[in-house]
Amino acid sequence: MKKLANTIMLQGTASDVGKSIITTALCRIFYQDGNKVAPYKSQNMSLNSYVTLDGKEIGRAQGMQADACYTVATTDMNPILLKPKQDMVSQVVVHGKPYKDLDARSYREQYLHTAEGIVKDSLHRLREKYDLITIEGAGSPAEVNLKDRDIVNMRLAKWADAPVILVADIDRGGVFASIVGTLEILTPEERNRVSGFIINKFRGDISLLQSGIDWLENKTNKPVLGVIPYLHHLGLEDEDGASLDMKIKSTQKLEDQLDVVVIKLPRISNFTDFDPLLEESDVHLRYIEHLDDWGTPDLVIIPGSKNTLQDLLYLRETGIEEKLTEYVKQGGFLLGICAGYQMMGEKLLDPHHFESDVSELNGMGLFPTETTFIQNKRTERVEGTTLLHFNDQIHFKHSDPIKIEGYEIHMGTTLFLQPVQHAFQIRLAGNYEHSFHNDGVVSDNGKVIGTYIHGILDNDVFRRNWLNNVRIHKGWTELKETISYKNKREEAFDRLADHVRLYLNMEKVYQIIEEGIK
């Protein structure tokens, strides 16, 4: 029988200490060093998801980590995904498909025992297939009220026979207390499993930290494996909204930049759709939550949401919806993706309350569409071409149709109440036996577009032409250069790996992996 893969686990003293990014860096480093490696996170809570090649939904971070080590992402890498829908209620996604909506107590008391078997089986399959598994924990292992049914931290580490590296965030302060306090709460067996520490997001003079490092190592008899300086402008997607504000350009808008506004919905999902805009030199990207922050945008985007109807009510109550419709009447550019597209129609129907407690709601009335929410969720990778060439108000400088690809994640089906101009023709990615079908709507003046396609802005030629169309309507010259977002992302993986390798004692990390738990 083949020996099961070695394992290493990254746990954190708290949420958002950088576990996902450090895990991503190690995935790329291990791959660079010749290992067949896979990421694993037993249970993830995130509204940023990733669609696998077989049309299943997992956490965005695990998809990114799989990309970092050049392996195909599968649901075994994140068998359970929790997608918050409202306070204390999440949609439970098991092996990429919705299971049911559960509140926190019901999930803990009714489902965790079943979940334990699911995560163990997934981990075992990965350990049979790969040489090394890089495991990411969730939150903190020191949550005493959750430890007895834990499936994401120390109990998982035991099932995986994994040594643990504890990651702490010095940027938020109290780094030594957070490490020592975490160890203090762990049992002796769990404490023994911790093989070292990573101090993350450091800013400053390392020599001023040395006395603290010496104290920590003497106090715990465990090594500090690295102090990782904060890496600015990383260029990789975030797992959830906790660090969304850090991803947005903090610089002032320049005169030659387009002012692009994304409405930061309360239940915003898949905001990684807009990461490519951060790479464009002529774009200044802003996320707004309040009408006072509206300003004078050149382009507005309504993003995806885990609860379309409730977030539409939010836009209505805050006055943002009225501002949006006024903006469109005045000739503004508007893009709606997924939930944003659904909101732009005439009516939203949820008679069986699959998404919210609201049965019916009038939409913004920008498109003659009606969306009904159904139980089955569509999760597919798609490919196709844009149809925007056929709108004579849109200045796309290509004689041939522009190819696009992306993915769909939604529970609603949209009907067209009268003939419309569609934005795209798509089919299942790689499925050449299937014919194309129409997706989305574009207004008569070409300035308002709705689509179900997440990742549409990852398509370089489409993105540049779309931005140039706005520039031309402003009387600006178009930009000729097209940025390769895929290449930028690959460069970011390598830059991250080089950075972490420089400051992390990789020789000691490999020793920890080989020796395991004594």
Side-chain angles (χ1 to χ4, degrees), residues 28 32 70 489-499:
R28 176 54 65 100
Q32 290 172 339
Y70 292 99
R489 192 166 179 264
E490 275 299 303
E491 291 169 4
F493 281 135
D494 286 336
R495 176 170 169 253
L496 172 64
D498 291 345
H499 180 75

Side-chain angles (χ1 to χ4, degrees), residues 97 187 403:
K97 292 297 182 183
T187 66
K403 293 182 179 180

Side-chain angles (χ1 to χ4, degrees), residues 26 80 94 141 147 160 164 184 190 197 206 247 275 278 298 343 346 361 367 391 394-395 468 489:
L26 288 177
I80 298 177
V94 180
K147 286 180 64 176
V164 171
E184 183 66 24
E190 292 168 342
F197 314 116
I206 186 66
K247 290 292 290 285
D275 282 3
L278 293 168
D298 297 306
M343 293 178 189
E346 293 186 5
L361 199 62
F367 293 140
N391 185 309
I394 296 179
H395 302 279
N468 278 342
R489 192 166 179 264

Side-chain angles (χ1 to χ4, degrees), residues 376-411:
N376 294 330
K377 178 186 283 191
R378 179 176 173 85
T379 56
E380 301 288 355
R381 289 200 177 202
V382 297
E383 63 185 8
T385 60
T386 177
L387 296 175
L388 298 178
H389 301 79
F390 300 112
N391 185 309
D392 57 12
Q393 300 296 316
I394 296 179
H395 302 279
F396 273 21
K397 304 298 184 180
H398 279 261
S399 57
D400 298 324
I402 297 173
K403 293 182 179 180
I404 57 96
E405 59 183 20
Y407 58 98
E408 294 186 46
I409 306 175
H410 58 90
M411 298 183 74

Side-chain angles (χ1 to χ4, degrees), residues 83 161 231 465 477 484 496-497:
K83 303 192 73 174
D161 195 27
L231 186 59
N465 275 267
T477 59
S484 171
L496 172 64

Side-chain angles (χ1 to χ4, degrees), residues 12-43:
T13 56
S15 296
D16 197 34
V17 298
K19 296 186 298 293
S20 294
I21 291 298
I22 297 294
T23 302
T24 302
L26 288 177
C27 281
R28 176 54 65 100
I29 290 170
F30 292 147
Y31 169 82
Q32 290 172 339
D33 291 348
N35 297 284
K36 185 180 179 184
V37 59
Y40 177 75
K41 186 166 185 174
S42 57
Q43 172 192 287

Side-chain angles (χ1 to χ4, degrees), residues 95-166:
H95 277 297
K97 292 297 182 183
Y99 167 63
K100 64 169 60 175
D101 294 348
L102 293 173
D103 60 53
R105 181 175 295 277
S106 297
Y107 179 74
R108 176 174 169 76
E109 294 180 355
Q110 300 174 18
Y111 192 70
L112 272 183
H113 180 71
T114 300
E116 180 177 317
I118 292 170
V119 303
K120 285 179 177 177
D121 289 345
S122 289
L123 177 62
H124 187 79
R125 283 191 291 269
L126 289 177
R127 294 187 70 188
E128 288 182 318
K129 183 178 179 181
Y130 291 88
D131 302 324
L132 177 59
I133 309 299
T134 308
I135 305 173
E136 179 188 340
S140 162
E143 305 292 349
V144 293
N145 57 314
L146 302 176
K147 286 180 64 176
D148 63 323
R149 299 187 188 182
D150 163 50
I151 64 168
V152 292
N153 286 313
M154 281 300 178
R155 290 178 77 224
L156 175 62
K158 184 177 180 179
W159 301 334
D161 195 27
V164 171
I165 297 175
L166 190 64

